[in-house]
Amino acid sequence: MAVSARDVARVAGVSVSTVSRALARPHEVAPATRVKVLEAARGLGYTPNLAARSLITGRTGNIGLVVPDLENPFFASVTKGVQSRARTAGYAVFIADSDEDPTQEAELVRNLAKQVDGMVLCSPRATDAVLAELARECVLVLVNRESGDIPTVTIDNHEGTRQAVAHLLALGHRRIAYAGGPTTSWSNRQRAAAVEAQGALHGDLEVVNLGSFQPYVSGGIAAGDLVLASGATAVIAYNDLLAFGLLERFRQRGVRVPDDVSVVGTDNIPVSALTSPGLTSVGIPLVNTGRAGVDMLLHLVRDPSTPPTHHHDLTVQLVVRASTGPHGGDVALRQLA
Amino acid sequence: MAVSARDVARVAGVSVSTVSRALARPHEVAPATRVKVLEAARGLGYTPNLAARSLITGRTGNIGLVVPDLENPFFASVTKGVQSRARTAGYAVFIADSDEDPTQEAELVRNLAKQVDGMVLCSPRATDAVLAELARECVLVLVNRESGDIPTVTIDNHEGTRQAVAHLLALGHRRIAYAGGPTTSWSNRQRAAAVEAQGALHGDLEVVNLGSFQPYVSGGIAAGDLVLASGATAVIAYNDLLAFGLLERFRQRGVRVPDDVSVVGTDNIPVSALTSPGLTSVGIPLVNTGRAGVDMLLHLVRDPSTPPTHHHDLTVQLVVRASTGPHGGDVALRQLA
DNA sequence: TTGTACGCGTTATCAG
DNA sequence: CTGATAACGCGTACAA
């Protein structure tokens, strides 16, 4: 059925090994035979059988990506970046959705490990111990999480928080709340610490950590009332989805944004530009994050020696939209709280 | 490095073929040796080399998915469904993003074809001719598009449109606009025709087809002014993203939704519940669409004979939110237009 | 019931 | 520069 190197060899009048060489290392073969082989191959529509190749080379030309939820815009964008970069590098991408379940996550990695040269694990939920074990079984690159000395791509959370706080300070806010994500989330711990650090840095700034919430709209709805009760005039959310929940809850309670409260999200997922009011957000280069993960992975895969970049910290950029504004009279706010 | 069937055979004290049988067809081997093999395999952590297996069986245990844009919530949800169903069926999923480019689409299919048992093509942009050619080269299932006699999963566009129109009629609207998607889109042609059909069906209903727009927010912004100029009091959009653009443009022009104009989207992507006002939308079971695609594909792959279900039409359900309301006095609207 | 032998399609080795 | 041969790990006739 399918045309094999053997067929090409017959047509070109050479041996199978010559066919293999002519395609893999053209300079190791005489120009005359090279064109003969290439023409025969193209004429027959020959494509190497990758399974057979990987059987002998031990490499697959594939990479794997595991994310907690493909429907989450954050991961959708990262996935896009991974796929894009892998494609230009000639790699195909296996995708797996762990449904936020750490157990499945490890299982998915193990299932895919045998079919790929390496894997990108995005915002992994697994414990450090499990990750260390997985890293022993296959080449791994972490995204949005540090764990041991596993190669990783992260976001500059401290800088992002700094920009958000600076923006709010400039608008006159002096009491800022932080609505956090899951305590188990590495990036949430980073961001919470960064907010505290900013509070310590500015004498005239009060920071209120409201605790942990689900990193979805539901979590933001729960957090909304706490924000109002805290007396803060601005709130920074763990991520944009949570920020949307805040906006929704404020709307329900008749609190105006940004007149009464300013809201800053994190991630700047595409939809954040579409809501009303537009969401001010700590912009993360989501697609580039995926690309960076693949770059690091391929670096590791192709160069077994320890590369210089075991860690890549991506820069962020605050995107200001209508959900933040000057701190006005907060009398109305207090009445509501 | 990796443990092979040979190692298991040595430990269990049997031959390689017995190992192979004990795992593939346990009943064809003596119970005693079976447990011996299984224990040895588990003890060594043996997992069959899939490349080697596929080399001999001709099947890979993988499927491929090609979508135009992973960041588009519609495709993200379908992808989630594909991955979910494939996983429970024991299949791994290759993902590819064509960036809306028909040329790349065909190329991606060809690249992946050799590594998969079949592919799901979601909302393919390619021409019928190209699709027919691809279908000859590998097992194909189309989603959201009909082409020749290629197996396909579609949406009941006519019924969706009927529900949308019935809803608007019940609210008192008598002049309804349709803001379409790309003319090259199969589903847009379906929906445009369905809207016209509804217009012909109801004597007291006027339907205005506004033409084609980009199926993104940008397209909706462009369409917004045409809606107002058309004198329609309600508009049905090709998809939710386009509907968001309409909402945005109406906001810019000071037109209130739903007081002045009602807006109905299509797809009911997750974010449609988050905007303000919430978007009334023709709900498509997005995740199930992906699942249905995989079901059909696996059916084809495992049963070479023509299956009874070459076509699966998914039901839809209008989801009513705040973007639609009773038709009030349209005097204010005419003034704006 | 179990073992032997072969072949899947490719690349690597080595002899020529 | 080229060709024969072995090997990758597994499944499957066929023989025992």
Side-chain angles (χ1 to χ4, degrees):
Chain A
M1 192 64 195
V3 37
S4 80
R6 198 171 161 168
D7 305 316
V8 178
R10 185 169 25 233
V11 170
V14 297
S15 75
V16 217
S17 12
T18 302
V19 172
S20 176
R21 260 184 308 241
L23 270 59
R25 287 180 299 276
H27 58 279
E28 286 188 17
V29 78
T33 57
R34 185 196 313 159
V35 291
K36 250 196 319 191
V37 171
L38 292 182
E39 274 178 9
R42 201 156 38 80
L44 293 174
Y46 169 73
T47 55
N49 181 317
L50 298 172
R53 171 183 293 173
S54 90
L55 192 55
I56 183 110
T57 62
R59 300 203 311 191
T60 63
N62 301 327
I63 66 174
L65 171 66
V66 178
V67 298
D69 178 15
L70 283 165
E71 269 183 311
N72 185 319
F74 180 96
F75 302 116
S77 291
V78 174
T79 301
K80 175 130 184 160
V82 166
Q83 143 68 25
S84 150
R85 185 74 187 86
R87 175 166 155 58
T88 65
Y91 280 74
V93 180
F94 275 111
I95 188 83
D97 180 318
S98 71
D99 263 325
E100 317 267 3
D101 180 352
T103 317
Q104 280 199 39
E105 188 171 292
E107 195 185 328
L108 288 171
V109 170
R110 291 210 167 83
N111 282 346
L112 254 43
K114 300 159 306 192
Q115 300 195 67
V116 303
D117 296 338
M119 306 206 59
V120 175
L121 262 179
C122 191
S123 305
R125 263 60 167 162
T127 63
D128 285 323
V130 171
L131 287 178
E133 206 172 327
L134 292 174
R136 230 171 292 122
E137 300 172 26
C138 64
V139 182
L140 227 59
V141 164
L142 267 34
V143 168
N144 212 26
R145 158 99 177 249
E146 282 180 344
S147 177
D149 53 358
I150 303 176
T152 177
V153 174
T154 53
I155 311 301
D156 191 343
N157 286 303
H158 187 84
E159 168 63 12
T161 303
R162 192 198 64 73
Q163 290 182 19
V165 169
H167 172 60
L168 293 174
L169 278 173
L171 289 170
H173 298 275
R174 290 297 176 266
R175 190 171 170 81
I176 300 176
Y178 175 66
T183 49
T184 53
S185 158
W186 179 86
S187 55
N188 178 60
R189 288 197 298 272
Q190 288 258 309
R191 289 168 197 173
V195 172
E196 303 280 6
Q198 288 298 313
L201 207 62
H202 301 276
D204 55 344
L205 172 65
E206 280 181 287
V207 159
V208 189
N209 190 331
L210 299 175
S212 290
F213 305 90
Q214 291 289 99
Y216 316 118
V217 173
S218 58
I221 290 183
D225 302 308
L226 296 186
V227 172
L228 300 183
S230 76
T233 61
V235 53
I236 298 173
Y238 166 68
N239 70 5
D240 287 350
L241 295 178
L242 205 158
F244 290 146
L246 290 171
L247 294 178
E248 174 60 22
R249 186 58 179 164
F250 292 158
R251 189 178 301 126
Q252 290 172 6
R253 296 219 19 204
V255 175
R256 295 164 305 165
V257 173
D259 311 75
D260 299 327
V261 187
S262 284
V263 176
V264 178
T266 310
D267 291 347
N268 189 33
I269 56 178
V271 69
S272 298
L274 313 184
T275 57
S276 164
L279 181 65
T280 293
S281 184
V282 177
I284 292 178
L286 297 172
V287 175
N288 276 337
T289 301
R291 292 209 178 95
V294 174
D295 282 336
M296 186 172 290
L297 183 61
L298 294 185
H299 195 160
L300 290 167
V301 166
R302 307 207 252 228
D303 181 9
S305 68
T306 307
T309 54
H310 242 55
H311 187 283
H312 189 339
D313 206 37
L314 291 163
T315 58
V316 301
Q317 183 60 59
L318 186 75
V319 177
V320 176
R321 300 202 184 89
S323 71
T324 49
H327 168 41
D330 54 340
V331 182
L333 178 63
R334 307 278 173 166
Q335 288 179 334
L336 284 163
Chain B
M1 193 61 197
V3 37
S4 82
R6 199 171 162 170
D7 304 317
V8 178
R10 186 169 23 232
V11 170
V14 297
S15 76
V16 219
S17 44
T18 303
V19 173
S20 176
R21 264 183 302 240
L23 271 58
R25 286 181 299 278
H27 59 279
E28 283 188 19
V29 78
T33 56
R34 184 196 314 158
V35 293
K36 248 194 325 189
V37 171
L38 293 182
E39 274 178 9
R42 201 155 39 79
L44 293 173
Y46 168 73
T47 55
N49 182 318
L50 298 172
R53 171 182 290 173
S54 90
L55 191 54
I56 186 142
T57 63
R59 300 205 310 192
T60 62
N62 301 327
I63 66 174
L65 171 66
V66 178
V67 298
D69 178 15
L70 283 165
E71 269 183 311
N72 185 320
F74 180 96
F75 302 117
S77 292
V78 173
T79 300
K80 176 130 182 161
V82 166
Q83 145 67 26
S84 150
R85 185 75 188 88
R87 175 166 154 57
T88 66
Y91 280 73
V93 180
F94 276 111
I95 188 85
D97 180 318
S98 71
D99 264 325
E100 317 266 2
D101 181 351
T103 317
Q104 279 199 39
E105 188 172 292
E107 194 185 329
L108 289 171
V109 170
R110 291 211 168 82
N111 281 346
L112 255 43
K114 301 159 305 192
Q115 300 195 67
V116 301
D117 295 338
M119 306 207 59
V120 176
L121 262 180
C122 192
S123 305
R125 262 62 166 161
T127 63
D128 285 322
V130 171
L131 287 178
E133 206 172 326
L134 292 174
R136 228 171 295 121
E137 299 172 26
C138 64
V139 182
L140 227 58
V141 165
L142 267 34
V143 168
N144 212 25
R145 158 100 179 250
E146 281 179 346
S147 177
D149 54 358
I150 303 176
T152 176
V153 174
T154 53
I155 312 301
D156 191 343
N157 286 305
H158 187 84
E159 168 62 13
T161 303
R162 192 198 62 72
Q163 290 183 20
V165 170
H167 172 62
L168 294 174
L169 278 174
L171 289 171
H173 298 275
R174 291 296 176 267
R175 191 170 170 81
I176 301 177
Y178 175 67
T183 49
T184 54
S185 158
W186 179 85
S187 56
N188 179 59
R189 288 197 298 270
Q190 288 259 308
R191 288 168 197 173
V195 171
E196 304 280 5
Q198 288 297 314
L201 206 62
H202 301 276
D204 55 344
L205 172 65
E206 281 180 288
V207 159
V208 189
N209 190 331
L210 299 177
S212 289
F213 306 90
Q214 291 289 100
Y216 316 118
V217 173
S218 57
I221 290 182
D225 302 308
L226 296 186
V227 172
L228 300 182
S230 76
T233 62
V235 53
I236 299 175
Y238 166 68
N239 70 6
D240 286 351
L241 295 177
L242 204 158
F244 290 146
L246 290 172
L247 294 179
E248 175 60 22
R249 186 57 179 164
F250 291 158
R251 188 178 300 126
Q252 292 173 5
R253 297 225 10 210
V255 175
R256 294 164 305 164
V257 174
D259 311 76
D260 299 326
V261 187
S262 285
V263 177
V264 177
T266 309
D267 292 347
N268 189 33
I269 56 178
V271 69
S272 298
L274 313 183
T275 56
S276 166
L279 181 65
T280 293
S281 185
V282 177
I284 292 178
L286 298 172
V287 176
N288 276 336
T289 301
R291 291 208 178 95
V294 174
D295 282 336
M296 186 171 289
L297 182 60
L298 294 185
H299 195 160
L300 289 167
V301 166
R302 308 208 252 228
D303 181 9
S305 69
T306 308
T309 55
H310 241 57
H311 188 282
H312 188 339
D313 206 37
L314 290 164
T315 58
V316 300
Q317 182 61 59
L318 187 75
V319 177
V320 176
R321 300 202 183 88
S323 71
T324 49
H327 169 40
D330 54 341
V331 182
L333 179 64
R334 308 276 173 169
Q335 288 178 334
L336 283 162

